[in-house]
Amino acid sequence: VRGKLNAQRQAMVDKAFLKFDADGNGRIEAADLKGVYNTTHHPKVISGEMTEDEVFLEFLQNFGDKNKDGRIDRQEWNDYY
């Protein structure tokens, strides 16, 4: 529905992917998020309802982890945008 990204927007999407892909393996995983997304103040972590790792996985799923493998590859990332 949204169509193809123009070159400028694609460059920004690529830059954001590289920021999240901390180890440079081409996938965003829970371990990559630990450096850029702080879950210690998340209400479900504070209440003990979820662990920090569970919050990271939920974040990934909500952010476009279509196949639910716990990581977002470049295609999933681009499809999200």
Side-chain angles (χ1 to χ4, degrees):
V1 170
R2 290 181 266 184
K4 186 172 172 73
L5 299 176
N6 65 37
Q8 184 178 2
R9 183 142 185 227
Q10 184 65 57
M12 291 302 295
V13 168
D14 292 343
K15 186 176 180 178
F17 182 88
L18 294 174
K19 178 177 175 63
F20 280 103
D21 182 18
D23 62 7
N25 69 357
R27 296 182 304 268
I28 300 170
E29 300 167 326
D32 294 317
L33 295 177
K34 290 181 180 181
V36 292
Y37 181 56
N38 182 353
T39 62
T40 58
H41 299 292
H42 190 286
K44 291 185 178 180
V45 171
I46 292 171
S47 72
E49 187 178 338
M50 295 176 78
T51 67
E52 289 187 50
D53 286 337
E54 289 169 333
V55 170
F56 287 128
L57 290 175
E58 180 179 77
F59 177 86
L60 289 172
Q61 288 173 353
N62 291 334
F63 208 83
D65 182 15
K66 291 181 180 180
N67 62 5
K68 310 269 191 251
D69 66 354
R71 58 188 138 217
I72 298 175
D73 62 29
R74 181 70 71 133
Q75 186 62 51
E76 289 172 318
W77 181 264
N78 286 333
D79 288 348
Y80 180 81
Y81 288 97

